[in-house]
Amino acid sequence: MGSADESSVKVLSVWRSMFGVRILMALKEKGVEYEYIEEADLRSKSQLLLESNPVHKKVPVLIHNGKPLCESLLILHYIDETWPPKSAHHKPLLPHDPYQRSLARFWSGYVDKMYDACLLIAKNYPGELMEQGKSAIRECITTLEGALRDSFGGGQPYFGGSHINLVDVALSSYLCWFETLEALGSFKVLDENTCPLLSAWAKAVVEHPSVKAGLATAPSKKMLESMYCIRKNVFGLVD
Amino acid sequence: MGSADESSVKVLSVWRSMFGVRILMALKEKGVEYEYIEEADLRSKSQLLLESNPVHKKVPVLIHNGKPLCESLLILHYIDETWPPKSAHHKPLLPHDPYQRSLARFWSGYVDKMYDACLLIAKNYPGELMEQGKSAIRECITTLEGALRDSFGGGQPYFGGSHINLVDVALSSYLCWFETLEALGSFKVLDENTCPLLSAWAKAVVEHPSVKAGLATAPSKKMLESMYCIRKNVFGLVD
């Protein structure tokens, strides 16, 4: 490690981004101190963001020792490969076995199929696109329920079994949006009757300290108010 | 390892898929014997494909010891993590350093931004979508030229320096499409004047044994004939 500045860890994000929230969860899971920098206005991006992610110009960015890393799932890999578990009671986010690791990568990638659907619900209310968004989210949730049952030995608390893994972090970051989506779309994202395993997973994972701390940075009430505000000011929608 | 069947390696793909070609390259790079199974008709998918990739129902699939793996970049990770380099002269596809590894993952993911553009060119000729496709490919190529220069120390033969890495495999798999795209779109994908580093890279990488052997499974002449055939029979286009 070099000077204090060189060995620093910075997260550049927007508080309501699930992709940013998952980075905070992973850093907290590893016990890594970081400086959080809010990207104030995505319509007028900061020089730091433009220089750190010149290709996609998107948050989140992790800046470690002055070097920028982009794409939230890749950042989770980097965090897992850079910092060891913080105690003997913790495990890496990625399983040791290459096949299990590939499964974790596959499903954490699958989780992000929900993002476009979330945007449809946030932006289009009411309307056909809203229904498309709800339908897409229901399909993802059903598929994830099947994955938890068939590929991850449902019955354990987490996708990672008794400890959280990459899929748990990736999926739990969406929980900060679910209440808002439910309010905007007048529907239930996680229904105990149709997805009992995922519902039980959600109840367990929100109590996991690093997940809880990550979600606390994007509380549901603030998220809903923010969405109404964006819909009015950015999209010109009035309810 | 169990019985001969259990320890087998099978690749289920379509010969003209760059995503399949890159799997063959990686297996050849590791010196792994495999059985290749052609998915005969994507309009009527085989039971093996539907069972092996029930979520996306897409090729390629790697089946190792009876277990299916999906998503070509994840399969490349699996191959790299499962089989060691075949000699002391070879290196893993993923760099050892976590930051360099993240860069390799980022750029191999970026490469696949070209895929939708390739389809636009294959399906729409001539037309506005064709121009969109060509423009998107030019943008990707320009960005990759910049990456090779700035992030991978251009001047070396490969993205991986003196040996091929994940980005080399991911990008070189597109070379089996470039001549066809050039013929269909009447444009030059790799121009020595505008992308000298990438042009030099392409000349070097096609001579690398595992890349050469992978590309030989999808020769340009057969690819072009196949594209004309698909355009006529599937999309009903007549030139």
Side-chain angles (χ1 to χ4, degrees), chain A residues 67-79:
Chain A
K67 291 178 179 169
L69 295 117
C70 309
E71 302 279 310
S72 69
L73 293 178
L74 302 189
I75 296 172
L76 294 185
H77 275 73
Y78 178 82
I79 290 171

Side-chain angles (χ1 to χ4, degrees), chain A residues 175-223:
Chain A
L175 294 174
C176 66
W177 273 58
F178 279 4
E179 278 187 43
T180 297
L181 296 176
E182 290 179 339
L184 293 174
S186 305
F187 79 127
K188 193 107 184 96
V189 176
L190 290 179
D191 184 323
E192 282 185 16
N193 296 312
T194 54
C195 51
L197 293 175
L198 217 48
S199 299
W201 166 86
K203 274 187 188 151
V205 86
V206 296
E207 296 302 327
H208 186 85
S210 58
V211 171
K212 192 173 197 164
L215 290 175
T217 66
S220 289
K221 188 167 178 293
K222 189 178 166 190
M223 186 72 76

Side-chain angles (χ1 to χ4, degrees), chain B residues 39 45-52:
Chain B
E39 178 71 18
K45 294 178 179 175
S46 70
Q47 200 58 31
L48 182 60
L49 176 56
L50 297 176
E51 284 171 5
S52 302

Side-chain angles (χ1 to χ4, degrees), chain B residues 2-213:
Chain B
S3 69
D5 181 58
E6 279 180 336
S7 67
S8 68
V9 176
K10 296 176 184 174
V11 178
L12 177 60
S13 190
V14 169
W15 69 268
R16 62 181 172 274
S17 163
M18 62 281 271
F19 304 126
V21 167
R22 63 175 61 155
I23 304 307
L24 306 187
M25 288 175 179
L27 290 171
K28 290 170 193 295
E29 181 68 14
K30 297 285 185 174
V32 176
E33 296 290 325
Y34 60 85
E35 176 191 348
Y36 178 79
I37 306 169
E38 177 76 6
E39 178 71 18
D41 183 358
L42 287 176
R43 287 170 296 178
S44 171
K45 294 178 179 175
S46 70
Q47 200 58 31
L48 182 60
L49 176 56
L50 297 176
E51 284 171 5
S52 302
N53 189 355
V55 175
H56 300 307
K57 304 175 181 64
K58 288 181 179 169
V59 293
V61 177
L62 179 80
I63 306 174
H64 184 209
N65 292 347
K67 291 178 180 172
L69 295 116
C70 308
E71 303 279 311
S72 70
L73 293 178
L74 301 190
I75 296 173
L76 293 185
H77 274 73
Y78 178 82
I79 290 171
D80 202 41
E81 292 168 353
T82 300
W83 290 282
K86 68 179 168 185
S87 84
H89 302 294
H90 292 77
K91 286 195 177 180
L93 296 176
L94 281 149
H96 177 72
D97 174 69
Y99 184 75
Q100 294 300 324
R101 195 148 58 215
S102 200
L103 271 188
R105 287 177 177 137
F106 178 87
W107 287 109
S108 55
Y110 180 83
V111 159
D112 285 338
K113 275 176 68 93
M114 285 196 295
Y115 182 65
D116 286 346
C118 290
L119 288 192
L120 285 180
I121 293 173
K123 289 183 186 177
N124 296 281
Y125 172 70
E128 193 183 328
L129 291 176
M130 161 74 88
E131 293 308 314
Q132 276 182 28
K134 286 159 65 172
S135 170
I137 284 188
R138 280 194 202 99
E139 187 185 326
C140 286
I141 292 293
T142 303
T143 304
L144 287 164
E145 174 80 5
L148 192 49
R149 184 186 61 232
D150 302 331
S151 300
F152 293 90
Q156 306 237 49
Y158 308 129
F159 280 86
S162 57
H163 65 283
I164 70 165
N165 78 356
L166 189 74
V167 188
D168 294 297
V169 173
L171 183 56
S172 63
S173 68
Y174 278 82
L175 294 174
C176 66
W177 273 57
F178 279 5
E179 278 186 44
T180 297
L181 296 176
E182 289 178 340
L184 293 174
S186 306
F187 78 127
K188 193 109 184 94
V189 176
L190 289 179
D191 185 323
E192 283 187 14
N193 296 313
T194 54
C195 52
L197 294 175
L198 217 49
S199 299
W201 166 85
K203 274 187 189 151
V205 87
V206 296
E207 296 302 328
H208 185 85
S210 58
V211 171
K212 192 172 198 164

